[in-house]
Amino acid sequence: TYQQVVDPIKGHTQFVTSVEFSKDGTLLASGSHDDNIMITKVPSFKRDEILRGGSRGHRSGITALAFNPDSTILASGSQDTDVRLWDVSGSFARTTNILKGHTGPVMAVAFSPSGSIIASGCDMFSLSQDPANTLMLWDVKTGVNLLMRNMSAVSALAFSPDGGTLAVAVMAERVKLIDMTSPDFPVVGSYGTDVRGSRDYFSLAFSPDGKMLAVGRRHIIDMYELNYSS
């Protein structure tokens, strides 16, 4: 059996859309449609800080969060189309970079296992919109853009444990595998169903050995053994 170990954590004023533990287990970040990010200390679960939207933060609801491997940087994606990087290593979090270029709400952010690259994927504001810059890669240290690729709406991202592959869930299409070891980041494989209406992918996860990929879609979890053949 399971039980609630602490009282509910309060502070947001609208739907909480994202929750993420830091890799070292000392912080819990939460994002909400109230445009704010809340940082909570673990294990006390006392609210530590609110990174408020507006002039110093996101201008619309938070849609995605991710900590880097050493738990010093928090990445946030928003409906305002920006990706923000926050330094959370000190007493107070501060924005270190604002990554711009997406043309729709940012739905997914993910750090590479080395922490040197961050991937971000966005939705489109309308079905008639051209799918521009829906997948982007960035150098975390410099903020330099490494890749801008046009796909359909990107709903989920996952790096393989060795960092050599990035899985990209492309709504209404397939899950595509990006070779992160090549300078031009080519697509080296794709997985998914060809049944129309069943290609809505919502989540991705690699197995710890990197040999299998789990894909969550409508009512189903698909499991793929990775051989990188399209």
Side-chain angles (χ1 to χ4, degrees):
T1 61
Y2 301 91
Q3 63 180 0
Q4 188 168 305
V5 294
V6 297
D7 292 333
I9 300 169
K10 298 180 180 180
H12 288 297
T13 59
Q14 294 189 35
F15 292 120
V16 175
T17 56
S18 305
V19 288
E20 185 82 7
F21 278 103
S22 60
K23 301 299 186 289
D24 64 4
T26 63
L27 298 175
L28 173 67
S30 56
S32 168
H33 279 169
D34 62 12
D35 307 350
N36 298 332
I37 299 166
M38 193 163 68
I39 305 294
T40 302
K41 292 286 191 181
V42 179
S44 66
F45 292 101
K46 299 297 184 182
R47 189 178 71 198
D48 184 59
E49 188 173 5
I50 295 181
L51 312 180
R52 298 192 181 277
S55 61
R56 296 185 179 181
H58 285 290
R59 294 164 284 112
S60 193
I62 310 303
T63 47
L65 296 170
F67 281 97
N68 72 333
D70 68 5
S71 303
T72 60
I73 299 173
L74 173 68
S76 57
S78 168
Q79 292 173 339
D80 66 8
T81 75
D82 291 343
V83 175
R84 282 181 175 258
L85 301 183
W86 306 81
D87 181 350
V88 293
S89 62
S91 300
F92 299 97
R94 61 184 181 88
T95 300
T96 59
N97 220 323
I98 304 173
L99 308 178
K100 293 180 175 291
H102 282 300
T103 57
V106 177
M107 303 306 294
V109 290
F111 282 96
S112 64
S114 68
S116 61
I117 292 176
I118 185 168
S120 55
C122 79
D123 198 351
M124 295 178 289
F125 282 114
S126 69
L127 294 176
S128 60
Q129 178 183 339
D130 290 334
N133 305 341
T134 52
L135 174 66
M136 303 185 78
L137 298 176
W138 314 83
D139 183 292
V140 171
K141 186 175 182 180
T142 65
V144 170
N145 179 257
L146 305 175
L147 176 72
M148 301 172 72
R149 186 161 292 170
N150 302 340
M151 297 180 172
S152 185
V154 172
S155 55
L157 299 165
F159 280 95
S160 61
D162 65 1
T165 303
L166 173 66
V168 183
V170 184
M171 294 292 279
E173 292 189 14
R174 297 174 73 84
V175 176
K176 299 184 179 183
L177 303 182
I178 307 294
D179 181 0
M180 295 297 297
T181 66
S182 178
D184 55 351
F185 305 111
V187 175
V188 294
S190 65
Y191 297 87
T193 177
D194 292 322
V195 179
R196 294 184 65 85
S198 299
R199 294 178 289 182
D200 292 337
Y201 309 108
F202 297 102
S203 54
L204 299 169
F206 280 93
S207 60
D209 61 7
K211 294 180 180 179
M212 298 190 72
L213 179 67
V215 179
R217 58 185 177 92
R218 291 187 182 185
H219 315 299
I220 293 172
I221 302 168
D222 294 320
M223 300 297 300
Y224 297 101
E225 184 176 4
L226 301 184
N227 55 23
Y228 302 100
S229 60
S230 54

